[in-house]
């Protein structure tokens, strides 16, 4: 069971004290992998993926039977600066589309055999424009973290979190700039497709926001509060809950990984339970994955968000586990082992 998330200090403590993978399960998985009817290493990263998953699930022969996809939606005051090619009301419209089953993530979740839920966070009350003040109060941040924290099904055996929020590549870029340094331009991309003038404006907005909140740099929680958004915080809350519950996470794109970066800044090893589902077409995502130490499973030019790349990568994870747990050993198959 998950403990209550009473305050931000508790969140930091729970993340810092989160359990490690099960070592006997890791050893059992490695041992089993060495006995399967294939040459050593022949399945490449699928072998490593299966062993990693086994450690978090606490069994040397795991199954994937209850994948969960959660999409969080929020609106951002910084869109008043003109940083997006689409108006904020699209967030509300897309939430309705998710709920009706009409979005790409609905199809991808269904194809992966995953349950999917959608959580809209105060869409009629955007966060504060972070160029004028902190995006959220401490109470607002805690509420958003709790939304994610409690949205995770303790019976899930793998989690994908996604987002919807017009303009949210801007706070994601600001988070990365504040956490990792460098100029704002190196972290700011075109998002939904702004033109050159829009990109220059967006970069300036990110730079001004990071400068205003320079005292928060490096503190994952404060950076998230001052520069993030409710849906970004909810993703962080869900990923943290999964860490506490030993539920493996498949990361989605740039915005999801920005939320994950806030957790990494809070506690070393906070993302040990996570793999990168894909590398998106958003310009800075490859650099962000590098900072997180994650190699993507897929690179397909996706730039949709919604959890789409993570849900698609569930198929790779399920294939890895199917091979690991379903293949026969040399002894079981009566096949002679090589010297």
């Amino acid at each position: 069971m998950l403990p209550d998330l009473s305050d931000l200090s508790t969140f930091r403590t729970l993340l810092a004290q989160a359990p490690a993978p099960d070592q006997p399960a890791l050893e059992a998985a490695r041992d089993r992998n060495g006995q399967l009817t294939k040459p050593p290493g022949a399945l490449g990263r699928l072998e490593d993926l299966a062993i990693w998953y086994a450690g978090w699930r606490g069994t040397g022969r795991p199954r994937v039977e209850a994948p969960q996809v959660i999409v969080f939606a929020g609106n951002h005051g910084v869109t008043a600066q003109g940083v997006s090619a689409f108006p904020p009301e699209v967030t509300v419209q897309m939430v309705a589309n998710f709920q009706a089953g009409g979005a790409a993530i609905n199809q991808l979740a269904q194809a992966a055999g995953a349950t999917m839920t959608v959580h809209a966070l105060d869409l009629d009350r955007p966060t504060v424009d972070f160029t004028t003040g902190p995006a959220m109060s401490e109470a607002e941040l805690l509420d958003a973290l709790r939304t994610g924290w409690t949205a995770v099904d303790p019976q899930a055996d793998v989690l994908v979190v996604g987002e919807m929020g017009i303009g949210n590549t801007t706070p994601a870029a600001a988070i990365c700039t504040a956490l990792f340094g460098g100029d704002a331009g190196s972290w700011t991309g075109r998002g939904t497709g702004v033109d050159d003038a829009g990109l220059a404006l967006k970069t300036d907005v990110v730079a001004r926001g990071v400068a205003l909140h320079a005292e928060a740099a490096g503190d994952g929680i404060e950076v998230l509060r001052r520069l993030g958004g409710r849906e970004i915080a909810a993703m962080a809350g869900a990923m943290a809950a999964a860490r506490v519950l030993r539920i493996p996470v498949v990361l989605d794109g740039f915005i999801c990984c920005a939320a994950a970066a806030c957790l990494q800044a809070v506690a070393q090893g906070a993302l040990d339970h996570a793999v990168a589902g894909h590398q998106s077409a958003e310009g800075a995502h490859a650099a962000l994955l590098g900072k997180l130490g994650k190699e993507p499973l897929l690179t397909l030019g996706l730039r949709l968000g919604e959890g789409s790349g993570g849900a698609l990568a569930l198929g790779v994870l399920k294939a890895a586990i199917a091979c690991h747990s379903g293949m026969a050993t040399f002894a079981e198959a009566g096949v002679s082992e090589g010297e």
Side-chain angles (χ1 to χ4, degrees):
M1 293 292 293
L2 275 172
D4 291 335
L5 201 58
S6 57
D7 51 43
L8 294 178
S9 177
T10 299
F11 182 77
R12 292 178 187 270
T13 300
L14 289 170
L15 194 59
Q17 297 177 352
D22 184 282
Q23 288 301 316
L26 282 172
E27 291 305 316
R30 291 190 185 105
D31 182 65
R32 176 173 175 77
N33 182 62
Q35 299 178 52
L36 297 178
T37 46
K38 59 177 178 56
L43 286 175
R45 284 191 69 193
L46 293 185
E47 298 181 21
D48 297 332
L49 195 58
I51 294 167
W52 163 83
Y53 182 84
W56 287 104
R57 297 311 296 157
T59 173
R61 195 171 183 176
R63 301 283 183 183
V64 179
E65 297 175 328
Q68 183 181 19
V69 174
I70 314 173
V71 179
F72 300 101
N75 272 326
H76 299 265
V78 75
T79 57
Q81 300 276 346
V83 295
S84 176
F86 291 89
E89 50 264 32
V90 171
T91 303
V92 176
Q93 294 162 359
M94 281 302 299
V95 166
N97 192 30
F98 296 144
Q99 292 170 335
I105 185 57
N106 298 96
Q107 320 318 316
L108 293 170
Q110 183 177 9
T115 62
M116 177 183 154
T117 55
V118 183
H119 297 262
L121 290 87
D122 294 329
L123 298 185
D124 58 347
R125 191 168 61 91
T127 54
V128 172
D129 177 351
F130 64 61
T131 66
T132 65
M136 293 173 281
S137 68
E138 289 191 2
E140 288 171 329
L141 174 60
L142 184 60
D143 282 346
L145 288 169
R146 280 177 178 150
T147 296
W149 185 264
T150 58
V152 177
D153 179 0
Q155 301 305 312
D157 52 22
V158 62
L159 176 68
V160 172
V161 292
E163 42 61 40
M164 179 63 214
I166 292 301
N168 62 8
T169 55
T170 300
I175 286 169
C176 292
T177 306
L179 290 179
F180 302 116
D183 64 276
S186 65
W187 292 108
T188 308
R190 296 184 183 273
T192 52
V194 295
D195 59 18
D196 289 347
L199 180 60
L201 170 66
K202 186 175 175 181
T203 302
D204 177 66
V205 167
V206 170
R208 286 191 283 121
V210 172
L212 179 65
H213 303 288
E215 64 194 74
D219 183 331
I221 295 297
E222 268 299 284
V223 165
L224 181 58
R225 181 179 79 83
R226 290 168 177 254
L227 297 168
R230 291 186 181 92
E231 82 282 27
I232 299 174
M235 285 193 292
M239 287 185 278
R243 179 71 172 76
V244 172
L245 292 168
R246 285 200 180 102
I247 297 172
V249 168
V250 181
L251 298 172
D252 190 45
F254 181 60
I255 300 155
C256 175
C257 287
C262 294
L263 300 180
Q264 179 174 272
V266 172
Q268 184 177 7
L271 300 180
D272 287 353
H273 69 315
V275 293
H278 77 127
Q279 178 183 313
S280 76
E282 182 68 5
H285 192 207
L288 177 51
L289 289 173
K291 293 292 185 181
L292 298 180
K294 305 294 183 186
E295 183 181 354
L297 297 177
L298 303 170
T299 304
L300 298 172
L302 306 179
R303 59 181 185 89
L304 180 61
E306 302 180 3
S308 53
L312 190 59
L314 283 176
V316 177
L317 176 62
K318 293 178 77 172
I321 303 308
C323 288
H324 176 86
S325 296
M327 286 176 67
T329 64
F330 282 99
E332 290 167 344
V335 175
S336 299
E337 297 188 55
E339 297 296 330

